[in-house]
C-alpha cells in the first residue's frame, strides 16, 4: 500500500487546480497546492538521484509507520519503495517489472508491490521519473501493519547488502494501544533505530530538532484532517479516495515535518474551504463533478495501473467517495492523534501503532461504520486487492457486518495495485453500475416508505 | 492433566492407527473426552506457528493445535469469507468454527505469523463472541531488555486471562511444572526426528507426521509417552531400506499438505529427514530451565534459542537460511524440497532467499505449491521422483 500519486510526469492531472480540461485553462497560480506538491516531489527525486554524489546517505522505509521526522534528524535523503511501485504502476511500467521479478523466481502468488520493486532493481534501478535511484544506505524496516514488509526488506538486503534496522510495531489485537506496546516501540527507537540512524549517517541525534519537525507535522495534520473532513459537506468539495491519494501524498511520504508540507496543507485547506463556501463539488481529471448523486465510503487501496479509468467509472455516474480507509494507511489523524513535540518518542510510537492496517478487525469495522454515519454515505464499496492480505483477508466479513450494522448496501470488487493483469475494466464497471442502481432503488423504496408513513 | 488413557495401543500399526484416527477426527472427540474426564476442564485452540503452550497447560487447560481442515472436509461457509487468492487454512478453520466442530474449545489463540491469521483473530472476535480470543504477538527484537520485556508482558496478560478463565491464578510453580512437561515432550520429539533421520525406512514421514499431529490434540504428557512407544515399536520392526534420496522438506509450517502428498513424496523415492510440520513442538530448540522465573525463561528461549522461519525476522543477512543449511548438514540430507501452500506470502517470499543460500552451498532443491485439499498427486510425485533421481545421479557422478 502506499500513497502520493502526485509526481512530475504523472499521467493523472494534478489535484486540485489543474484538473479542469472542460473549462478554459485558469491562469497558473504558483502558490496553488498542487504546484507546491509537484515542486516538493520533484526536489525529493532529484535529491535521491544525486544523494550519493552530494555525500548524503539514503534511507528507505515504508508508508505505514513512516518515521519521517526522525529520519530527517539525520539528514537522510528519503525513499519510499511503495511510492516508487505505485508511480511505476501509474506510468504503466509495473507490469513488465512484475513479470521480470517472476521470471527471476518470485511466486505469482505474492504481493505485486514487492515484485514491482524487485523488477525495478533488475532493470537497473531506474525510478519512476527516469532517474536512477540510489541503493539505500539504510533500510528502516518500519514493520507496521503488514507482514510482507519484513520479507520485502530482507529480499532487498539479500541483493544489496544494505544495513537494515527493524522497528517492530505490535498489532492492536485487542483493539487498543497498551503501555507495554508503546514502551516496546520507544525502547526500540532508543536502543536500535536511533543508534543505527546515527551510525549510518554520522549525525548525532538531536531531540530538539525532532520536536521542531513534529511541531510542523501537527500543524499540517490539523489541515489535512480539515481537508478530509470537508467531505462531510453536501456536495463534498473533494473526493476522499481518488482525490485524497494526492492530499495524503506529502503527509505519508518524505515531507511530513517539513515547513514545505505545512505550507502545502495550509494552501490546500484554504482552497478546499473556498470550494465549500462556493458549494462546489470535487474536481476530477475531466473537470468539476456536476451533480453529486451517490456518496460512498471505500475500503481498500486503489488500483494504480488504471487509476484514471477507475475513477472515471465513479465520476461519470455522479459518485463521490466521501471517506476512505486507504487515506489512513500512513496515519489515522481524524480521530484526534497528532504528533506531539512534548512527547516525541512516545508520540512516534503511538503514530506507528495507530496506522489503519495495524488496527484489528472490530476497530476497522467500527471506523467504517462511523464514516458511513458521519459522512452520510449511501453505501460501502470494498476494493479488494489481490496483493494485499493485510487489507483484504477478511474483507467479506467486513462487508456483511457493516451492511448489517448500517442497513446500507455494500459492494465488493476485486483488482490489484500495480499488476495490470488483475484489472478487469468491464467487470468492475458492470459491478459498479449495478451497485449504483441498487443504491437508487433502496433510496426510492425508503422515500416511498417515508411518504406512506 | 491426564497421564494415561486406558488401553493405549502398542505396536507400530496400532499406534499409527490411533494417531490417524486423531488426525482425521475433525470433531475433536479426544478433546471432548479429555474435558469430560473431570469437571471444569477447558481447552484452548491455537493456530500455527507457535504459542507458549506452557501457560495454557499451567492453567490446567488443554492446548489444541488447529491446523486446518485437511482434504476430507468440505468447505462451504468458509469460502464465503475469503477471496480466491487467499490460502485455504483460514477458510477451513472458519468452516470448522461455523459448523460447531470447535465448540469444544473455550478459546482460540492466533499467533503472529502472517496477515491472514492476524486478521482471522479479529474475525473470530466478531463471529464467536462468547469465546476467549487472543492475538499472540511475539517480538521481532531479540534484546532481553526490549523484545524480551515486551514478550514477558504479553505472556503475563495471557497468563492473567487464562487464570481468570480457569478461576484461579496460574502460579510460578505451575508454570515451572508445565515447562518441565514440555521439556520432556521436546526431548521426545527431538529423539523422534533424530531417529527418523538415522533410519528413515523404519520411521517413514507419513507415520512421523501423524505422531506429531497427535500432539496437537493430546495432553503433552500422553503425547510424550506415545512418541516413546512409537520409537520402541519402530525399532522392533524390520522394514526394507531403500536407496532413496534424503531430503529436507520446508515451507509447510502453517497450512499442512494432505497426508497423501507426504506419502507421494516418499513413494517417489525421497526420505524426508527433516521438515517444518507442526513446528510448535520444535519451536524452542532446547530445554527451557524449569527452575528460574518461568516467563523470563520462556522469553529467553524464544529470543535466543528458537527456530528460524519465514515469519521471524533475521537480524543479519548472514543469518538467512542458517538453520536450513544446518538441518541439511546435521541430518545428512542431499537436497531440499520447498513445499509451500499456494498464496502463502511468508513461505513464498522467503523461498527465493533460501534458494539463493542453498545455491551458494551447492545444495540441490526443487519447489512446488500445494493446498491442504490438493487431490492431484501425480504431478508432485513426478516432480519429487525426478528430483530424487537427479540427486542420485548427481551423487553417483
Ligand atoms: S501486502 Fe499490502 S500492505 Fe503489505 S506491502 Fe503488499 S500492498 Fe503493501
Ligand atoms: S498458509 Fe501462509 S498465508 Fe496462509 S495463513 Fe498460513 S502462513 Fe498465512
Amino acid at each position: 500500500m502506499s500513497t502520493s500519486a502526485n509526481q512530475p510526469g504523472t499521467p493523472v492531472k494534478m489535484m486540485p487546480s489543474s484538473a479542469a480540461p472542460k473549462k478554459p485553462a485558469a491562469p497558473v497560480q504558483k502558490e496553488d497546492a498542487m504546484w507546491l506538491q509537484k515542486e516538493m516531489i520533484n526536489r525529493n527525486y532529484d535529491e535521491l538521484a544525486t544523494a550519493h554524489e552530494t555525500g548524503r546517505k539514503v534511507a528507505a522505509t515504508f508508508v505505514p509507520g513512516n518515521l519521517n521526522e526522525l529520519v530527517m534528524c539525520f539528514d537522510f535523503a528519503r525513499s519510499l519503495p511503495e511510492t516508487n511501485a505505485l508511480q511505476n504502476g501509474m506510468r504503466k511500467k509495473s507490469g513488465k517489472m512484475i513479470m521480470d521479478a517472476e521470471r527471476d523466481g518470485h511466486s505469482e502468488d505474492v504481493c505485486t508491490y514487492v515484485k514491482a520493486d524487485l523488477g525495478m532493481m533488475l532493470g537497473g534501478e531506474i525510478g519512476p521519473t527516469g532517474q536512477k535511484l540510489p541503493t539505500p544506505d539504510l533500510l528502516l524496516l518500519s514493520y507496521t501493519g503488514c507482514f510482507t514488509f519484513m520479507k520485502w526488506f530482507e529480499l532487498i538486503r539479500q541483493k544489496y547488502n544494505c544495513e537494515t534496522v527493524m522497528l517492530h510495531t505490535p498489532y492492536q489485537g485487542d483493539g487498543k494501544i497498551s503501555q507495554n506496546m508503546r514502551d516496546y516501540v520507544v525502547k526500540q527507537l532508543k536502543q536500535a533505530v536511533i543508534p543505527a540512524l546515527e551510525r549510518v549517517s554520522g549525525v548525532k541525534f538531536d531531540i530538539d530538532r525532532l520536536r521542531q519537525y513534529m511541531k510542523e507535522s501537527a500543524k499540517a495534520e490539523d489541515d489535512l484532517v480539515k481537508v478530509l473532513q470537508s467531505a462531510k459537506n453536501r456536495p463534498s468539495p473533494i473526493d476522499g479516495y481518488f482525490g485524497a491519494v494526492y492530499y495524503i501524498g506529502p503527509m505519508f511520504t518524505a515531507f511530513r515535518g517539513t515547513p514545505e508540507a505545512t505550507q502545502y496543507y495550509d494552501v490546500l485547506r484554504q482552497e478546499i474551504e473556498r470550494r465549500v463556501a462556493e458549494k462546489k463539488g470535487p474536481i476530477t481529471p475531466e473537470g468539476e463533478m456536476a451533480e453529486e448523486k451517490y456518496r460512498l465510503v471505500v475500503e481498500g487501496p486503489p488500483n494504480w495501473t488504471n487509476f484514471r479509468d477507475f475513477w472515471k467509472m465513479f465520476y461519470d455516474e455522479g459518485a463521490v467517495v466521501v471517506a476512505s480507509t486507504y487515506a489512513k494507511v500512513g496515519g489515522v489523524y481524524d480521530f484526534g492523534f497528532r504528533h506531539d513535540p512534548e512527547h516525541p518518542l512516545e508520540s512516534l510510537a503511538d503514530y506507528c501503532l495507530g496506522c489503519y492496517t495495524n488496527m484489528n478487525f472490530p476497530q476497522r469495522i467500527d471506523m467504517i461504520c462511523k464514516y458511513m454515519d458521519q459522512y452520510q454515505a449511501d453505501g460501502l464499496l470494498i476494493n479488494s486487492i489481490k496483493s494485499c492480505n493485510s487489507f483484504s483477508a477478511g474483507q467479506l466479513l467486513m462487508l456483511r457486518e457493516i451492511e448489517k450494522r448500517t442497513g446500507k448496501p455494500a459492494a465488493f470488487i476485486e483488482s490489484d495495485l500495480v499488476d495490470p493483469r488483475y484489472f478487469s475494466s468491464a467487470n468492475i464497471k458492470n459491478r459498479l453500475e449495478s451497485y449504483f442502481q441498487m443504491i437508487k432503488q433502496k433510496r426510492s423504496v425508503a422515500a416511498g416508505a417515508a411518504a406512506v408513513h | 492433566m491426564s497421564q494415561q488413557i486406558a488401553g493405549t495401543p502398542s505396536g507400530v500399526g496400532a499406534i499409527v492407527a490411533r494417531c490417524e484416527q486423531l488426525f482425521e477426527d475433525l470433531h475433536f472427540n479426544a478433546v471432548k473426552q479429555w474435558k469430560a474426564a473431570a469437571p471444569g476442564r477447558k481447552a484452548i485452540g491455537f493456530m500455527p506457528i507457535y504459542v507458549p503452550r506452557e501457560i495454557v497447560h499451567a492453567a490446567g487447560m488443554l492446548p489444541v493445535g488447529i491446523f486446518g481442515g485437511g482434504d476430507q472436509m468440505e468447505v462451504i461457509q468458509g469460502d464465503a469469507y475469503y477471496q480466491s487468492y487467499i490460502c485455504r487454512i483460514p477458510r477451513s478453520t472458519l468452516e470448522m468454527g461455523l459448523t460447531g466442530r470447535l465448540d469444544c474449545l473455550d478459546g482460540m489463540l492466533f499467533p503472529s505469523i502472517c496477515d491472514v491469521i492476524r486478521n482471522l483473530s479479529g474475525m473470530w472476535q466478531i463471529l464467536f463472541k462468547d469465546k476467549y480470543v487472543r492475538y499472540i504477538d511475539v517480538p521481532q527484537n531479540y534484546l532481553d531488555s526490549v523484545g524480551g520485556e515486551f514478550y514477558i508482558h504479553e505472556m503475563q496478560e495471557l497468563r492473567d486471562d487464562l487464570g481468570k478463565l480457569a478461576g484461579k491464578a496460574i502460579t510460578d510453580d505451575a508454570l515451572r511444572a508445565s515447562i518441565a512437561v514440555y521439556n520432556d515432550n521436546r526431548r521426545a520429539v527431538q529423539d523422534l526426528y533424530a531417529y527418523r533421520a538415522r533410519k528413515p525406512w523404519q520411521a517413514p514421514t507419513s507415520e512421523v507426521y501423524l505422531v506429531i499431529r497427535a500432539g496437537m490434540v493430546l495432553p503433552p504428557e500422553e503425547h510424550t509417552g506415545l512418541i516413546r512407544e512409537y520409537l520402541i515399536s519402530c525399532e522392533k520392526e524390520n522394514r526394507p531400506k531403500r536407496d532413496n534420496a534424503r531430503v529436507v522438506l520446508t515451507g509447510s509450517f502453517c497450512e499442512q499438505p494432505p497426508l497423501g502428498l507426504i506419502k507421494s513424496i516418499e513413494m517417489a523415492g525421497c526420505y524426508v529427514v527433516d521438515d517444518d510440520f507442526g513446528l510448535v513442538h520444535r519451536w524452542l530448540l532446547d530445554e527451557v530451565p524449569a527452575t528460574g522465573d518461568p516467563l523470563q525463561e520462556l522469553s529467553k528461549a524464544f529470543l535466543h534459542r528458537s527456530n528460524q522461519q519465514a515469519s521471524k525476522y533475521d537480524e543479519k543477512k548472514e543469518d538467512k537460511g542458517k538453520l536450513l543449511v544446518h538441518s541439511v548438514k546435521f541430518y545428512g540430507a542431499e537436497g531440499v524440497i520447498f513445499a509451500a501452500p499456494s498464496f502463502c506470502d511468508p513461505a513464498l517470499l522467503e523461498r527465493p532467499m533460501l534458494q539463493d543460500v542453498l545455491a551458494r552451498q551447492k545444495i540441490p532443491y526443487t519447489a512446488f505449491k500445494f493446498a491442504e485439499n490438493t487431490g492431484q498427486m501425480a504431478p508432485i510425485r513426478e516432480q519429487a521422483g525426478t528430483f530424487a533421481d537427479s540427486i542420485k545421479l548427481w551423487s553417483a557422478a
Side-chain angles (χ1 to χ4, degrees), chain B residues 75-212:
Chain B
V75 171
I76 301 162
Q77 298 189 55
D79 269 345
Y81 288 91
Y82 285 104
Q83 303 88 320
S84 55
Y85 50 79
I86 288 174
C87 57
R88 195 167 189 274
I89 185 170
R91 311 161 189 271
S92 60
T93 305
L94 263 186
E95 182 81 20
M96 289 195 283
L98 294 168
T99 52
R101 288 169 165 99
L102 302 181
D103 284 357
C104 58
L105 302 179
D106 300 279
M108 271 292 272
L109 307 179
F110 295 88
S112 167
I113 166 171
C114 74
D115 294 315
V116 175
I117 287 187
R118 182 198 74 173
N119 288 3
L120 185 58
S121 71
M123 294 169 74
W124 217 267
Q125 289 170 18
I126 291 164
L127 290 167
F128 305 98
K129 289 204 162 62
D130 55 331
K131 301 279 180 174
Y132 174 70
V133 180
R134 187 169 173 87
Y135 177 73
I136 303 287
D137 222 334
V138 293
Q140 301 284 3
N141 170 296
Y142 308 129
L143 294 172
D144 289 300
S145 59
V146 183
E149 281 197 18
F150 165 73
Y151 186 42
I152 288 171
H153 221 281
E154 288 292 299
M155 287 193 286
Q156 184 61 42
E157 279 192 25
L158 175 65
R159 174 184 184 172
D160 293 344
D161 286 354
L162 294 182
K164 269 186 218 133
L165 207 59
K168 71 175 197 295
I170 302 172
T171 64
D172 278 358
D173 282 341
L175 275 170
R176 287 188 198 105
S178 297
I179 288 174
V181 165
Y182 278 100
N183 278 339
D184 263 359
N185 188 256
R186 270 186 284 274
R187 263 192 305 270
V189 172
Q190 272 161 13
D191 290 348
L192 174 64
Y193 271 66
Y195 180 83
R196 176 186 61 176
R198 241 182 3 258
K199 297 182 178 175
W201 58 95
Q202 289 291 94
T205 296
S206 49
E207 288 183 8
V208 170
Y209 178 72
L210 290 170
V211 172
I212 286 295

Side-chain angles (χ1 to χ4, degrees), chain A residues 85-230:
Chain A
L86 87 82
Q87 286 295 327
N88 284 323
M90 288 187 112
R91 287 154 213 245
K92 314 257 182 231
K93 293 178 181 170
S94 54
K96 180 181 179 304
M97 292 169 174
I98 291 166
M99 287 199 285
D100 286 347
E102 287 176 2
R103 265 193 294 273
D104 196 42
H106 295 276
S107 166
E108 64 270 27
D109 290 358
V110 302
C111 172
T112 51
Y113 260 12
V114 182
K115 286 184 285 186
D117 194 33
L118 296 171
M120 185 178 78
M121 290 178 172
L122 289 168
E125 201 76 40
I126 305 301
T129 56
Q131 292 158 291
K132 189 177 181 319
L133 292 177
T135 305
D137 300 288
L138 181 71
L139 301 171
L140 171 52
L141 209 177
S142 53
Y143 191 48
T144 297
C146 163
F147 279 79
T148 297
F149 289 152
M150 181 166 83
K151 297 290 108 187
W152 188 340
F153 272 7
E154 282 185 352
L155 280 157
I156 299 184
R157 181 181 63 185
Q158 201 79 1
K159 278 221 175 338
Y160 286 130
N161 217 6
C162 319
E163 173 151 358
T164 309
V165 61
M166 157 68 85
L167 175 70
H168 174 210
T169 302
Y171 182 62
Q172 293 195 49
D174 285 343
K176 60 179 195 312
I177 297 173
S178 69
Q179 192 57 39
N180 183 41
M181 291 156 79
R182 186 177 293 119
D183 290 346
Y184 174 45
V185 178
V186 170
K187 276 193 210 161
Q188 290 178 80
L189 290 171
K190 285 185 180 160
Q191 297 189 35
V193 176
I194 293 173
L197 290 165
E198 282 185 328
R199 190 171 55 249
V200 175
S201 68
V203 176
K204 202 152 170 38
F205 177 52
D206 172 0
I207 199 157
D208 290 326
R209 193 171 165 190
L210 177 61
R211 287 183 211 274
Q212 190 49 42
Y213 290 136
M214 288 173 103
K215 267 187 208 147
E216 294 292 338
S217 301
K219 278 189 254 170
E221 287 155 4
D222 279 342
D223 281 334
L224 172 66
V225 169
K226 285 184 187 135
V227 169
L228 295 177
Q229 291 188 338
S230 71

Side-chain angles (χ1 to χ4, degrees), chain A residues 14-34:
Chain A
M14 295 303 170
M15 291 293 293
S17 49
S18 70
K22 282 180 182 166
K23 294 180 177 175
V28 173
Q29 300 286 311
K30 252 283 179 217
E31 69 276 21
D32 280 348
M34 77 97 181

Side-chain angles (χ1 to χ4, degrees), chain A residues 363-391:
Chain A
Q363 287 176 294
R364 282 171 63 178
I365 290 171
D366 282 349
M367 181 165 154
I368 294 173
C369 288
K370 273 193 195 128
Y371 285 160
M372 302 276 280
D373 179 42
Q374 292 171 358
Y375 289 75
Q376 300 170 51
D378 297 303
L380 166 73
L381 176 76
I382 296 181
N383 183 31
S384 178
I385 294 292
K386 175 187 178 281
S387 270
C388 187
N389 285 347
S390 173
F391 257 104

